[in-house]
Amino acid sequence: MNKPSLSTRLTDPRTLPLLITLGLFLLMFGYGSVAYRGFFSAQVFCNLFIDNAFLLIVAIGMTFVVISGGIDLSVGGLVAVTTMISATLVQSHHWPIWVVTPLVLLLGALFGAFQGVLIQYFRLQPFIVTLGGLFLTRGLCFLINIESITISDPAYTAVSEFRLHLPYADISANVLIAAVVFIGAVWLGHYSEFGRVVYAIGGSERSALLMGLPVARTKVLVYTLSGFCAALGGVTFTFYMLSGYGLHAQGMELDAIAATVIGGTLLTGGVGYVTGTLFGVLILGVIQTLITFDGTLSSWWTRIVIGALLCVFCVLQRLLDSHASKRRTGRAAVGKTVAPAVAAGDATPAELVAHGQ
């Protein structure tokens, strides 16, 4: 089989959305650098990570869910309830940070696993199950406390105010946590058996079952991972805001889905990259930063632009998916035509090459 050329790889429906996302980010950041004084700086770039580290962590968990062919609408509520539990235990009960953090992460993972069991073993739709999870977690927030709880614990304050000094900029502890999660997610998605099974399930769950892959276990683990990432996003959000509130992270589940889709992950499953999700989050951050630097536009323009981009990327995904389906159909037809000639030894070199592809 011939090795695909560079142009073929660049136009591959699996990688083209990622390249478009990368190009869009560079274009938007370049525009801001030209249009606004002070935009092109290391600190402004690092601020994209500082202000969106919690969203990146949540979106990474969402990426695995979407690749598997599912959806998780509960992550925003899980982030909020994590901040409320953390703030209550720290402020009212004076629990130390090293006890509170593992506890809320465990609760988030267990909640995700519970949703995964309902989806897999009771054959319920992910949309309905996780929507119920969103309502449940939001309700729990206000059951704990209807007011915002400010955190004054010295340990939380120290983590919140920590800055790692780089040559031309500073980054927060949340950025370091998000970097570790990102590196782990890349390995998990592309270099582990778990990641390969997730992609196989998203491509065709029936085929994955016929191949003997652990479909049921993997689907439960995918939602467990999403719950863990949402809880960790809640921990970092607590560091960012130094408070717990039931209205925190409103709409974050939609931002996470938007970042995932803009990053090139197909909503139908089977195709996607964690790296694309990273740039999807950065694009959302750049939009907010551009509006801030402009100073004359309403913050609601952020939602308008994100909505427009989401529609464009959904249409692009549909077009690429249709194009890929036509190519697969064409190759199957060529294979049926050339196979008898190949068997008889009468095929031309061009036909043999086509058949080999």
Side-chain angles (χ1 to χ4, degrees):
M1 182 182 295
N2 292 336
K3 187 177 180 180
S5 64
L6 178 61
S7 60
T8 301
R9 287 185 298 219
L10 291 178
T11 56
D12 190 306
R14 294 171 295 181
T15 57
L16 185 57
L18 175 60
L19 296 176
I20 293 174
T21 301
L22 176 58
L24 180 61
F25 169 73
L26 295 175
L27 182 64
M28 295 176 68
F29 196 85
Y31 168 77
S33 302
V34 174
Y36 304 108
R37 184 178 181 181
F39 190 97
F40 187 72
S41 70
Q43 191 58 61
V44 170
F45 180 74
C46 288
N47 286 345
L48 297 177
F49 293 92
I50 294 173
D51 295 334
N52 297 282
F54 47 84
L55 177 58
L56 174 59
I57 295 171
V58 174
I60 285 173
M62 184 69 73
T63 301
F64 282 92
V65 173
V66 175
I67 290 175
S68 71
I71 199 76
D72 190 353
L73 298 177
S74 68
V75 293
L78 196 50
V79 168
V81 79
T82 299
T83 68
M84 287 298 293
I85 293 174
S86 300
T88 301
L89 293 178
V90 170
Q91 288 299 114
S92 302
H93 302 282
H94 307 291
W95 284 29
I97 186 175
W98 55 269
V99 173
V100 173
T101 300
L103 175 63
V104 294
L105 293 179
L106 177 61
L107 291 176
L110 289 176
F111 186 80
F114 173 70
Q115 292 186 126
V117 168
L118 292 179
I119 292 168
Q120 175 59 32
Y121 293 102
F122 290 86
R123 300 298 177 184
L124 301 177
Q125 288 296 320
F127 182 90
I128 298 300
V129 172
T130 58
L131 182 62
L134 173 63
F135 292 149
L136 174 62
T137 49
R138 286 291 178 187
L140 286 175
C141 289
F142 294 101
L143 191 63
I144 295 171
N145 200 317
I146 61 174
E147 302 292 338
S148 175
I149 304 174
T150 303
I151 298 176
S152 58
D153 181 74
Y156 269 85
T157 303
V159 174
S160 177
E161 295 177 351
F162 171 82
R163 291 294 183 271
L164 177 63
H165 301 290
L166 301 177
Y168 299 100
D170 298 336
I171 58 174
S172 64
N174 284 353
V175 177
L176 299 178
I177 296 172
V180 172
V181 173
F182 173 75
I183 293 170
V186 170
W187 175 84
L188 191 63
H190 301 291
Y191 301 99
S192 71
E193 180 183 353
F194 171 79
R196 289 189 288 271
V197 177
V198 170
Y199 277 94
I201 293 172
S204 173
E205 184 174 338
R206 179 176 176 81
S207 298
L209 282 169
L210 293 175
M211 289 188 291
L213 298 177
V215 172
R217 183 185 68 187
T218 302
K219 288 184 71 174
V220 173
L221 287 177
V222 162
Y223 286 93
T224 303
L225 176 62
S226 180
F228 175 84
C229 288
L232 183 56
V235 170
T236 55
F237 197 85
T238 306
F239 293 147
Y240 185 75
M241 299 294 293
L242 280 180
S243 67
Y245 190 30
L247 295 179
H248 277 338
Q250 278 201 323
M252 186 178 288
E253 60 278 351
L254 303 181
D255 289 336
I257 294 172
T260 301
V261 173
I262 292 173
T265 301
L266 290 183
L267 283 172
T268 52
V271 175
Y273 298 94
V274 176
T275 304
T277 298
L278 168 64
F279 283 103
V281 170
L282 291 179
I283 285 175
L284 302 190
V286 168
I287 294 172
Q288 295 170 345
T289 306
L290 287 172
I291 291 175
T292 301
F293 267 81
D294 183 271
T296 61
L297 296 175
S298 168
S299 60
W300 288 108
W301 275 100
T302 302
R303 296 295 178 186
I304 295 172
V305 175
I306 292 173
L309 282 177
L310 194 57
C311 291
V312 169
F313 272 84
C314 285
V315 172
L316 176 64
Q317 287 184 2
R318 182 61 179 172
L319 293 175
L320 291 174
D321 189 48
S322 300
H323 178 66
S325 298
K326 290 179 180 179
R327 288 179 62 183
R328 287 193 295 267
T329 303
R331 287 177 179 178
V334 170
K336 291 179 180 180
T337 303
V338 177
V342 171
D346 298 329
T348 65
E351 290 174 328
L352 287 172
V353 170
H355 181 69
Q357 293 177 344

